[in-house]
Every structure is written in C-alpha cells, then in structure tokens.
Amino acid sequence: MKTTVQMIIDALIEPVGRLEQTVDTLKFGDPSTEVTGIVTSFMPTWHVIEQALERKANLVIAHEGLFFSHHDDEAEGRANMIHQAKKRCIEESKIAIFRFHDYWHRYKPDGITEGLIRELAWEPYVSVHQPSASLLNIPSLPLKDIAEHVKQRLGIPYVRIIGDLDMICSRIGMLAGYRGSGSLAIPLFEREHADLVIYGEGQEWETPEYVREAVRQGNPRALMVLGHAESEEPGMKALAIRLRTKFPDIPVHYIKEDPLFQLF
Amino acid sequence: MKTTVQMIIDALIEPVGRLEQTVDTLKFGDPSTEVTGIVTSFMPTWHVIEQALERKANLVIAHEGLFFSHHDDEAEGRANMIHQAKKRCIEESKIAIFRFHDYWHRYKPDGITEGLIRELAWEPYVSVHQPSASLLNIPSLPLKDIAEHVKQRLGIPYVRIIGDLDMICSRIGMLAGYRGSGSLAIPLFEREHADLVIYGEGQEWETPEYVREAVRQGNPRALMVLGHAESEEPGMKALAIRLRTKFPDIPVHYIKEDPLFQLF
C-alpha cells in the first residue's frame, strides 16, 4: 500500500488531535506524494536536507523552523539572502518538509523530554512527568559525575554549570529546549525539591542567578545547561525509532547536526 | 552640600527625560537619604550588596533586577525562598538600590554599548551608533585574533563562535545584552554588511542558525557570543567613571561579579 506524506502527518498528529494554532505545518512538498524515505532531525539545515536527498528520503520531519525564526510569518517578514537561497534549493529538490514541534511536545509524556531521558538511560528513575518538566530520582551521585554521564551519553563536549561540582544530587528536574525560564525552572527547586535542574536554553538573568544566590545563601542547588539542540536532538532520534515501528516498510533515518558553537 | 539618593537618580535620568513605563525605579531605600558612597554593578547579587556595605556605600546602582526576573511584578508573583531571604537582608541593611536599565540604554549613544566599545578600545573605529546596535570598522584581522583581543580586554575565559576562525573581519555589528535575536542581528549582516556580529545573549535557533547556513552557502559571516553579563558589565564600569566626574565628593566603586557559569 502506498504511504503518502499526509498519512505520515496524520499518524503523527493522531495521539494529540488537531491543534487550531500551531507552527506544525507542511512547509514544502505535496501531501499526496508517496513517501520513499523519512529523515528526522532537530534543525532542518540545508546540510540535513542534502543528506536526506542522498538517501532517497523525500520527507524531512524537523523540530525547529527552516528560516531562523519560530514563527513563519516573522521569518517571511525578515526574508533575507540566506533564507531565499535555501528556499530555492528546497523548492528545486521537491522534498517535503513537515515541522513537528507542538504536537511532539504535547504527547504524554512529551516526546522530546522522553527522548532525552531515554538517551540518558534514566527511564527507570522517572518520578513524574509534568506537562513541561519531568522529575527524576536517580541514585545519588556528585554533580561532576552526573555531568560526565550527561556529556558521554549525549556526545557533547561540555556543559555549563552553576553549583558545587562535589554536591551530591539525586532529585533532578528536566526541562528540554527553551524552558529554562525562572517561571518554569525555579518551582522545580522550590516546590518539587529538585537538587539539580537540567535545561536546554534559558535567560541568563533568571534561573542561573537564582541558583547562584541560593548556593551563596547556603541552600545547595545546581544547574546544568546543555544547549538547545543538545537537549532536543534525542527527542528527534526517538521519533525515528517510533516511525520505524509504525511504518516498517519505509526507511527512516535520524540525522544529527554538528555542534552549533565552537568554544574559543 | 548634601547629595541625596534622589539627586543622583535625577542626574541619571536627566539626559533622557522621565519615562512613563520603565523598570528603572528605586527598589529599596529612602530617596532623601544622604549618599555616602555609590556602587555600580551589572547584577545586584547579595555578594555585591555586601561589598557595598563594607565600603560604606549606601546606594547600589544595578543594571539588572534583584529577583531573577526583568519585571518586578513577575518576580513578586513567583516570590520564592531565595527571594524572601535576600529581601530581608536588604531591608535590614537599609541600603538604597536603584535599577538603571532602560535609561542607560536610551542614552545617545547607549551607555552600555558605549562602555563595551570603550573596554574593547574600539572607540576610534565606530562607524555609526544605531538605537540597539553599533557598527564599527576595525583594522582587518582574522576572527581568532579578534576573539583573543575580546577575551583579553574583557577578562573572560572563552567566547562561543560560529564561523571560520581564519576569516578576515573588519566590519563589526555590536549588540550588548539580550539583543541577539534574528530581528536585530540578521539585518546587521544583510543591510549593514557586517562580517562579524558580537552579541551578549540571544536565541540559539535564530542568528546562530542563520550564520551557520550563510557560511555553508559560501557567504563568509561570523558570530561571537560573549554572555549577557560579560557584554553589559563594561557599561556599568563606564557608569562609575561618569559618576565620579559628576559627583567628585562621593566615592564611587564598580564591582564586577564572578563569571556566572563554569564550563565542565
């Protein structure tokens, strides 16, 4: 039986139900096209799209937007040289690109968070999944050992930390992506009694300053910042695994980008 | 003649005129108190306030908020243990704390940006000051040499970079603080022909992804991310110098905090 782009989209949306307001739309391509292969990725860079084409995949499912903005109308409003050149290449390639952001975050549990926890091999330690955060009770470890584990499991060269590297941590609040704001992260310490919060990205003057002040007040607390992509990529890897099970006849590849920044 | 807290505030506000909507208010203390000494700082941590008290300074002028949020009502809404403990210490100390954020950014040129440019010894190279950004034409240098210069002048251990370290850069777009968004940074490349944008903090999926895509399209561009505090501290140091000239009888100290994050 022929599987179309639309059938894949319908299957992805089904566990949540159709959202009225969402950034998750088919950005390029024809929904009636038969799918020859799927690539999932965190960021649909042209490099990722090229790799999809090389693998004869004609559907890319990406978490973030194509044109350097969360909202398409904002991206269009500031359409620039780099945007236009990328758009032309995509149109010429005839590839289909679907954004899978809001729906994946609304799965129960959140597909991105669950993917991150799985990649860290921390599934047995989940205490509760909240809509934006998950709480885990891991076997007690010094912060520096947790950081080593995270770096090794995620394959990332460094994390940014606030707190005492020798602090023993057990209760972890996990926030994937841009969820490091004070309003999301501080209650994990105050109400959920997390020792350590791990997030992808957040405002530097909110949670980090709270943790610094807490430590100096003698309340041992710790923060680990992974980077936005670093925290959400495993969720798109997990999506590839799920799609392989659901559509066993279609080749599904997860493509990881290079680290965004270099330290100097 | 007695100089009061209110007289200092009036002098700070005067070049801009009173703003209707602003976060820049006297957070603690009595405006009629005679000022015995002033401390300027980027972030009014309790550590900075303690150092002010040790120096017999009774007015702290800080760029960011006290309680881990840009807006006071948001901070109050999520008032937490760490917030309450800090607030009690401040009230007991009777110190005055004035926030100087919006006004300083509205000076012409922006006091924070001007302070950063001065600290980098790049004042001779300013081409134009825009309201949010400044453009500079420095003598051509490889990106890695510019990064070395920035690290050494600002005393910071690392910067985060996108681009080729050997790329020759001359035209620089400078965005202090949280001004790294695509809407502010991308036009500096596209319209102002910057080779390199330097910013404090910004969304990882906007400008960084634009620069990565541009480089891969063969358009040499570069981005250097300093950190929020790292980019705005020199502006509060510059403020101390200005206040010393304006109020020669009052001791004025600039206090720099430790780096917020440690790399691991």
Side-chain angles (χ1 to χ4, degrees):
Chain A
M1 200 191 96
K2 179 174 137 169
T3 304
T4 64
V5 167
Q6 190 60 53
M7 288 161 71
I8 307 280
I9 294 174
D10 290 343
L12 289 171
I13 287 177
E14 191 273 326
V16 177
R18 193 164 297 276
L19 299 173
E20 283 301 307
Q21 292 255 323
T22 177
V23 294
D24 292 5
T25 55
L26 186 66
K27 308 299 181 189
F28 288 91
D30 179 341
S32 65
T33 304
E34 180 172 3
V35 176
T36 57
I38 299 173
V39 156
T40 73
S41 189
F42 167 72
M43 184 63 69
T45 61
W46 177 245
H47 177 67
V48 164
I49 298 166
E50 271 186 323
Q51 286 187 61
L53 295 168
E54 275 170 30
R55 288 161 206 223
K56 313 283 181 210
N58 62 354
L59 172 61
V60 171
I61 302 172
H63 192 61
E64 298 293 337
L66 283 155
F67 301 116
F68 333 119
S69 172
H70 185 61
H71 295 285
D72 293 341
D73 51 352
E74 250 180 59
E76 284 302 321
R78 62 169 101 128
N80 50 61
M81 258 173 62
I82 309 306
H83 175 143
Q84 301 297 3
K86 186 175 180 182
K87 189 173 173 182
R88 276 193 303 275
C89 290
I90 296 169
E91 282 170 346
E92 281 164 23
S93 76
K94 311 268 186 222
I95 202 160
I97 301 181
F98 179 63
R99 186 162 178 201
F100 191 52
H101 179 278
D102 301 344
Y103 287 103
W104 202 204
H105 279 306
R106 298 244 193 147
Y107 274 50
K108 289 181 183 173
D110 179 319
I112 291 285
T113 307
E114 196 184 26
L116 177 58
I117 292 169
R118 179 184 301 175
E119 197 72 20
L120 292 168
W122 282 349
E123 284 167 306
Y125 308 129
V126 171
S127 148
V128 61
H129 289 299
Q130 298 175 349
S132 301
S134 294
L135 275 298
L136 297 94
N137 295 319
I138 66 162
S140 297
L141 276 178
L143 177 56
K144 60 174 179 286
D145 293 3
I146 299 175
E148 277 300 349
H149 173 84
V150 168
K151 283 162 57 178
Q152 187 253 315
R153 293 288 310 184
L154 302 185
I156 55 181
Y158 65 90
V159 291
R160 293 191 292 163
I161 284 184
I162 297 171
D164 177 355
L165 288 170
D166 292 317
M167 175 189 171
I168 304 298
C169 301
S170 165
R171 188 147 171 90
I172 299 181
M174 183 74 76
L175 294 158
Y178 199 100
R179 287 176 171 165
S181 68
S183 60
L184 290 175
I186 294 174
L188 300 182
F189 292 110
E190 296 261 336
R191 279 189 234 140
E192 306 292 345
H193 308 290
D195 307 315
L196 165 65
V197 166
I198 300 178
Y199 68 63
E201 185 181 1
Q203 301 88 330
E204 292 179 12
W205 64 94
E206 295 200 350
T207 309
E209 294 290 349
Y210 165 89
V211 174
R212 166 152 76 176
E213 209 74 286
V215 170
R216 287 178 176 170
Q217 282 182 17
N219 292 283
R221 260 149 225 203
L223 177 66
M224 190 184 302
V225 180
L226 304 180
H228 196 129
E230 289 78 0
S231 75
E232 296 204 305
E233 283 170 338
M236 296 310 283
K237 181 177 169 184
L239 177 65
I241 296 165
R242 179 183 287 248
L243 285 168
R244 268 176 220 135
T245 311
K246 205 159 177 79
F247 299 97
D249 299 334
I250 299 176
V252 183
H253 314 274
Y254 161 68
I255 296 179
K256 190 180 182 318
E257 254 295 356
D258 294 332
L260 188 53
F261 294 104
Q262 55 182 317
L263 283 187
F264 184 85
Chain B
M1 199 193 96
K2 183 173 137 169
T3 304
T4 65
V5 168
Q6 190 61 53
M7 287 161 71
I8 306 281
I9 294 174
D10 290 343
L12 289 171
I13 286 177
E14 190 272 327
V16 176
R18 194 164 295 277
L19 298 174
E20 282 301 308
Q21 293 256 322
T22 177
V23 296
D24 293 4
T25 55
L26 186 66
K27 308 299 180 187
F28 289 92
D30 180 340
S32 65
T33 305
E34 180 171 3
V35 176
T36 58
I38 300 173
V39 156
T40 73
S41 190
F42 167 70
M43 183 65 69
T45 62
W46 177 246
H47 177 67
V48 163
I49 299 167
E50 272 186 323
Q51 286 188 61
L53 294 169
E54 275 170 31
R55 288 162 205 222
K56 313 284 182 211
N58 63 353
L59 172 61
V60 170
I61 302 171
H63 192 61
E64 297 294 338
L66 283 156
F67 300 116
F68 332 121
S69 173
H70 185 61
H71 295 286
D72 293 342
D73 51 350
E74 249 181 60
E76 283 303 321
R78 61 169 101 127
N80 51 61
M81 260 173 60
I82 310 306
H83 175 143
Q84 301 298 1
K86 186 175 179 180
K87 189 174 172 179
R88 277 194 302 275
C89 290
I90 296 170
E91 282 169 347
E92 281 164 23
S93 76
K94 312 266 186 225
I95 201 160
I97 301 182
F98 178 64
R99 186 161 178 202
F100 191 52
H101 179 278
D102 300 342
Y103 287 104
W104 203 203
H105 279 306
R106 299 243 193 146
Y107 273 52
K108 288 185 183 171
D110 179 318
I112 291 286
T113 307
E114 194 184 27
L116 177 57
I117 292 170
R118 181 185 300 176
E119 196 71 21
L120 292 167
W122 282 349
E123 285 167 305
Y125 308 129
V126 171
S127 147
V128 62
H129 290 299
Q130 297 175 349
S132 301
S134 293
L135 276 298
L136 298 93
N137 295 320
I138 67 163
S140 297
L141 275 177
L143 177 56
K144 61 174 181 285
D145 293 1
I146 298 175
E148 277 301 349
H149 173 84
V150 168
K151 283 162 60 179
Q152 187 252 318
R153 293 288 310 183
L154 302 185
I156 55 181
Y158 66 90
V159 292
R160 293 192 292 163
I161 283 183
I162 298 173
D164 176 355
L165 289 171
D166 293 316
M167 176 190 171
I168 305 298
C169 302
S170 164
R171 186 144 172 93
I172 299 180
M174 183 75 75
L175 292 157
Y178 198 99
R179 286 177 173 165
S181 69
S183 61
L184 289 176
I186 295 175
L188 300 182
F189 291 111
E190 297 261 335
R191 277 188 237 140
E192 304 292 345
H193 309 290
D195 307 313
L196 165 65
V197 166
I198 300 178
Y199 69 63
E201 185 180 2
Q203 300 89 332
E204 292 179 12
W205 65 93
E206 295 199 349
T207 310
E209 294 290 349
Y210 165 89
V211 174
R212 166 153 75 175
E213 209 72 287
V215 170
R216 288 178 176 169
Q217 282 183 17
N219 292 283
R221 261 149 225 205
L223 177 66
M224 191 184 301
V225 180
L226 305 180
H228 195 130
E230 288 78 359
S231 75
E232 296 205 305
E233 282 171 337
M236 296 309 283
K237 181 178 169 185
L239 178 65
I241 295 165
R242 180 185 286 247
L243 285 167
R244 268 177 220 135
T245 310
K246 203 157 178 80
F247 299 97
D249 299 334
I250 300 175
V252 183
H253 314 273
Y254 162 69
I255 296 179
K256 190 181 183 314
E257 254 294 357
D258 294 333
L260 188 54
F261 294 105
Q262 56 183 313
L263 283 188
F264 184 84

